[in-house]
Each structure stands twice: as C-alpha cells, then as structure tokens.
C-alpha cells in the first residue's frame, strides 16, 4: 500500500514538473526594475514564487534597485550575477538601451536571458513576456475620452526616458487621441521621474503651468500615485479626470472616490510566473514557442471594480 502511495505521489509531481526540468537544480536570478514598495513588483514576485514552488528544483535570487529609474544600480546588480553558478537571468530593463551591453556579456557567458514587462533593444534575449502596452495605452485614451468627452486639454505624465513599457503605453494613448478624438488638445507630454515623489513634484509643476486641464493620463503606479497626490493638494482631485496604469490600495481608493476615473490593470503575477517558466525551458534548451508573449490589459472603472473577474485580477 505504502509503495502504491509513493508511486502515485511521484506520478503527480512529474505531472506538475515536466520531465526536462527534473534533477539538476537551476539558479535563476530575477532582476525587477525596482525593489520599491510598489504593489506591481510584489505581485510579480508572487507569480515567480508560484512557478518556483511548482518546478521544485529552482533556486530564485530576486534583487532590484531602489527605484525604477536607477539604471546604474540595476547594471551593477546585473554584473554581480554574471557568474558560472547562474543558469538564467530574468530581467525587467529600466532602460531598453543601456542594459543591452551588460546583458549581452551575461549571454556570452552562457547565461540564458528572459526579458519581462519592459522591452530591451536587440535580440540577445530568448523571449519577451509583457503587457500589450501600446494597446493598453489606447484603452486609457478611450476611457479618458469616455469620461471627459471629446473636447478639452489633456496631458501625459511619463516616467523615465527609454522605459519601453511606459513609453509604449504613452504612445498608444497619443495614437488613440490622434485617431479618435481630434478635438482633444494634447498640451503636454512630459517625463515626470521614476518614483512617486518625483511624479508628485512634476505633477504640481504641470498643474501650475496648465491650470485649465480637462484630463490626465499617467503611465504607471508611481506616476498615478504622484499625480493623484498633486491633484488632491491643489483641490483638483475628481475635477480634472485622471486615468492611469496599474493598481494598488492607494489607487483603488482613489477610484472608489472617483478621484481616478479608470485604471488600466496588468497581470504582473502571470508575467512573473511565465518568466520563471521560460527560464527553466531555456536552461533545458526547450525550443521557443512564442518569442513575444503579450498579455492584454483590462480597464478597471468604479462601475466594474467589484466584479469577480476584476477582483481576481487585482487580488491574485
Ligand atoms: C511599472 O513600471 C512598468 O515597467 C510596469 O509595467 C509597471 O507599470 C512598475 O513600476
């Protein structure tokens, strides 16, 4: 009986852990854009941990810089792991260009490279897993025009130069206005910095410079948080329509108070899970099925916030 039970347990675990990954332990280093308190990275880590638990023979090292715009630190962290004991590197590049040289060095050492969330120039990496950010930006444009009407003045608050994910969604937003709301005037399209504090300071300056705004698109969690605080400080929260990317307790509270009109929400847990899965496949030389895996974002509004589908996405 005991032997039968052991066979059943082994069969079950092999069902979860594919044959090619059994045996040797794999050391995978995951370098997010930052190890800040942003909900986005915490949920991405949850997805990684789920994959690590399922595969069973993965040692995960998770290390990121303090903020999303600290490219020098991210490069230093990366270079520290260009070592023989590292089998694969999963990275979210803070800069699509400046990370290319150090990542190429890692690849030349035989370390497998997976890129997640934010694009990297060149083709050193095996595959790319991210939100379809351009179409997500168009969703933001649609939501903002839906709530403010197809007249008025809007601005885009980006984060840092060459952050592929956030620039792609800003470009999608502008594309939507250009093709669907020609009477909406884009009065500013600025880089506000990679932390909530920097975004708030930039938001205050932009609100002072453009006192007659109708709507704002902020490209990620830090930008939305900073702009929301700036709108509250100046008494404009809920008056100037704000649409942004990502979710967090702060942003969801703003949505419930109608200070935020819409959040374009991603699936960082799935990105983290697929990042680890791709790394294990790369280590085992499993052929790539899909070089670019793009996950569609969802528009969350005060009206659909409590639906089961949205709740499952927000609280995986
Ligand atoms: C944010 O930056 C982007 O790269 C992610 O997609 C997310 O929107 C996290 O700081």
């Amino acid at each position: 009986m005991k032997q039968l039970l052991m066979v059943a347990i082994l069969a079950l675990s092999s069902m979860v852990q594919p044959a090619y990954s059994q045996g040797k332990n794999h050391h995978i280093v995951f370098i997010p854009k930052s190890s800040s308190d942003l909900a986005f990275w915490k949920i991405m880590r949850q997805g990684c941990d789920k994959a690590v638990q399922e595969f069973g023979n993965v040692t995960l090292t998770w290390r990121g810089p303090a903020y999303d715009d600290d490219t020098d630190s991210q490069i230093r962290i990366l270079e520290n792991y260009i070592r023989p004991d590292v089998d694969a590197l999963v990275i979210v590049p803070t800069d699509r260009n400046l990370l290319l040289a150090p990542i190429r060095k890692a690849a030349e050492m035989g370390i497998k490279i997976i890129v997640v969330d934010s694009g990297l120039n060149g083709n050193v990496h095996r595959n790319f897993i991210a939100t379809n950010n351009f179409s997500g930006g168009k969703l933001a444009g649609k939501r903002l025009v839906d709530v403010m009407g197809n007249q008025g003045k809007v601005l885009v608050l980006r984060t840092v130069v060459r952050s592929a994910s956030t620039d792609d969604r800003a470009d999608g937003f502008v594309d939507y206005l250009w093709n669907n709301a020609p009477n909406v005037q884009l009065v500013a399209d600025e880089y506000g910095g990679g932390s909530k504090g920097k975004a708030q300071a930039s938001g205050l300056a932009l609100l002072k410079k453009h006192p007659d705004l109708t709507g704002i698109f902020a490209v990620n969690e830090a930008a939305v948080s900073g702009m929301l605080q700036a709108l509250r400080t100046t008494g404009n929260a809920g008056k100037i329509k704000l649409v942004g990317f990502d979710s967090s307790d702060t942003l969801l509270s703003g949505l419930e108070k109608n200070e935020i009109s819409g959040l374009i929400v991603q699936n960082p847990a799935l990105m983290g899970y697929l990042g680890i899965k791709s790394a294990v496949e790369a280590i085992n030389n499993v052929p790539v099925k899909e070089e670019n895996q793009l996950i569609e974002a969802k528009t969350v509004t005060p009206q659909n916030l409590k639906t089961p589908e949205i709740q499952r996405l927000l609280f995986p």
Side-chain angles (χ1 to χ4, degrees):
M1 183 58 181
K2 198 174 169 198
Q3 206 169 7
L4 200 60
L5 188 61
M6 279 309 292
V7 167
I9 290 169
L10 278 174
L12 270 175
S13 69
S14 69
M15 271 167 63
V16 172
Q17 187 184 359
Y20 58 69
S21 90
Q22 290 168 3
K24 181 181 173 300
N25 189 280
H26 304 322
H27 182 197
I28 299 173
V29 177
F30 199 114
I31 304 180
K33 268 189 183 176
S34 83
S35 48
S36 64
D37 63 349
L38 293 173
F40 185 85
W41 304 118
K42 288 177 183 167
I43 297 173
M44 185 174 277
R45 175 66 194 263
Q46 288 170 8
C48 293
D49 290 344
K50 182 169 182 283
V52 167
Q53 196 186 7
E54 274 181 22
F55 277 98
N57 60 339
V58 169
T59 301
L60 173 67
T61 299
W62 171 280
R63 268 200 64 201
Y67 294 104
D68 287 20
D69 57 358
D70 193 347
T71 298
D72 291 343
S73 295
Q74 190 178 48
I75 290 172
R76 274 196 300 276
I77 290 168
L78 166 58
E79 288 178 337
N80 179 49
Y81 290 105
I82 301 179
R83 302 184 324 219
D85 68 309
V86 175
D87 298 301
L89 178 72
V90 185
I91 186 160
V92 184
T94 53
D95 183 309
R96 68 184 317 155
N97 190 19
L98 295 180
L99 267 293
L100 190 51
I103 288 174
R104 182 174 283 119
K105 236 163 69 180
E108 285 162 1
M109 274 276 288
I111 296 172
K112 307 295 185 184
I113 308 293
I114 312 294
V115 172
V116 166
D117 174 64
S118 200
L120 176 72
N121 291 347
N123 54 11
V124 169
H125 50 288
R126 173 186 183 266
N127 60 300
F128 176 52
I129 299 148
T131 297
N132 186 337
N133 283 299
F134 190 84
S135 78
K138 292 167 77 171
L139 286 177
K142 181 179 185 320
R143 178 60 185 166
L144 190 57
V145 170
D146 283 351
V147 296
M148 64 172 248
N150 58 8
Q151 306 282 338
K153 295 180 178 179
V154 304
L155 76 78
V156 177
L157 183 63
R158 297 179 187 236
T159 55
V160 285
V161 177
R162 292 190 303 274
S163 157
S165 56
T166 49
D167 271 355
D168 290 351
R169 56 192 73 152
D171 296 347
F173 175 85
V174 173
D175 179 85
Y176 180 87
L177 294 187
W178 182 259
N179 289 301
N180 300 278
N183 296 327
V184 170
Q185 197 187 344
L186 181 62
V187 296
D189 181 348
E190 305 281 346
Y191 288 94
S195 68
K196 296 176 191 173
K198 288 179 183 173
Q200 183 179 348
S202 304
L204 285 168
L206 285 164
L207 291 172
K208 192 169 175 195
K209 190 174 173 187
H210 303 283
D212 52 353
L213 285 172
T214 321
I216 295 168
F217 172 49
V219 294
N220 74 350
E221 183 179 342
V224 184
S225 301
M227 181 53 86
L228 175 61
Q229 197 49 46
L231 287 166
R232 284 174 174 163
T233 307
T234 54
N236 288 301
K239 294 174 189 159
I240 298 176
K241 301 302 179 191
L242 173 62
V243 171
F245 248 75
D246 297 331
S247 75
S248 67
D249 293 345
T250 304
L251 302 191
L252 293 174
S253 161
L255 194 70
E256 289 183 303
K257 293 176 189 164
N258 279 299
E259 295 173 315
I260 295 175
S261 300
L263 292 170
I264 312 304
V265 175
Q266 306 180 74
N267 194 334
L270 182 57
M271 284 191 241
Y273 179 89
L274 292 175
I276 298 296
K277 183 173 180 291
S278 297
V280 171
E281 288 174 349
I283 294 165
N284 291 280
N285 299 313
V286 173
V288 181
K289 296 184 194 70
E290 210 180 341
E291 278 188 24
N292 293 322
Q293 282 180 276
L294 297 183
I295 303 160
E296 295 305 324
K298 295 262 190 239
T299 303
V300 180
T301 66
Q303 292 73 31
N304 72 6
L305 174 59
K306 298 296 184 192
T307 60
E309 181 204 2
I310 296 300
Q311 288 292 306
R312 275 195 302 275
L313 180 63
L314 294 171
F315 307 105

